[in-house]
Amino acid sequence: LEFYATVFTASASAFDAASIFKGKQACLDSIEAIAAMGRNATAKDKDRSDVFEIAYEMYARGFEFGKPALGVSDGVRFTVSDGKVIPAFSALEGLGESAARSLVEAYREKPFDTVEEAVTRAKLNKTAVESLRKYGAFDGMQETDQLCFL
């Protein structure tokens, strides 16, 4: 698992979380789609294909990815937790390295109580917040600390 975490860290810019998290067959389908491009495949496509192959191998060996989580995921490094490879926040579309580092640093100072607090303290933009929601990083967190009396 540590090997895979290291390889994905080194290839984070070519990591396609949306496809890779769908599993082994999605990785294989992506490899085949890039191969079908032939000479039209760009260098970035070829890099992505390499990452899909490594992810496919990882799945074939029975290993899995864990979901990105506050307090578990690193900003720029893939890690291992509970027998799963945990993606770096920077590997998620919509989160650059700066935003990912800011999120982790702000959380380390004091864990977030709400999504609103995370957005404010880590200075996250709308795209980053949507990506974090999509991959479950904010699961279980309240949106705001405002109370509503209905």
Side-chain angles (χ1 to χ4, degrees):
L1 289 172
E2 287 78 7
F3 166 78
Y4 291 113
T6 301
V7 170
F8 291 128
T9 295
S11 307
S13 64
F15 192 87
D16 180 349
S19 297
I20 291 173
F21 290 168
K22 290 179 183 174
K24 184 168 77 169
Q25 188 59 50
C27 292
L28 186 58
D29 293 344
S30 296
I31 294 165
E32 291 172 354
I34 293 169
M37 291 178 182
R39 292 180 179 232
N40 293 328
T42 65
K44 183 170 180 151
D45 290 328
K46 292 173 185 172
D47 289 343
R48 287 177 53 238
S49 182
D50 291 344
V51 173
F52 284 128
E53 286 181 23
I54 296 163
Y56 178 82
E57 174 189 296
M58 188 185 101
Y59 281 125
R61 291 178 183 232
F63 300 124
E64 298 178 2
F65 287 96
K67 73 177 189 175
L70 294 167
V72 179
S73 293
D74 186 75
V76 295
R77 290 183 316 106
F78 282 67
T79 58
V80 176
S81 180
D82 294 328
K84 295 181 180 182
V85 175
I86 308 298
F89 286 125
S90 63
L92 307 178
E93 64 272 3
L95 264 94
E97 225 178 272
S98 177
R101 287 181 192 274
S102 176
L103 179 65
V104 171
E105 287 172 19
Y107 187 85
R108 284 183 184 150
E109 288 173 14
K110 179 184 173 282
F112 308 121
D113 293 322
T114 65
V115 173
E116 180 182 53
E117 181 183 359
V119 171
T120 303
R121 288 184 33 219
K123 298 178 178 85
L124 300 173
N125 65 29
K126 183 178 179 180
T127 306
V129 173
E130 288 172 2
S131 187
L132 290 165
R133 278 196 171 103
K134 175 181 177 180
Y135 294 106
F138 291 141
D139 286 359
M141 288 180 73
Q142 291 184 327
E143 286 298 311
T144 179
D145 60 1
Q146 297 295 312
L147 297 176
C148 180
F149 297 103
L150 296 177

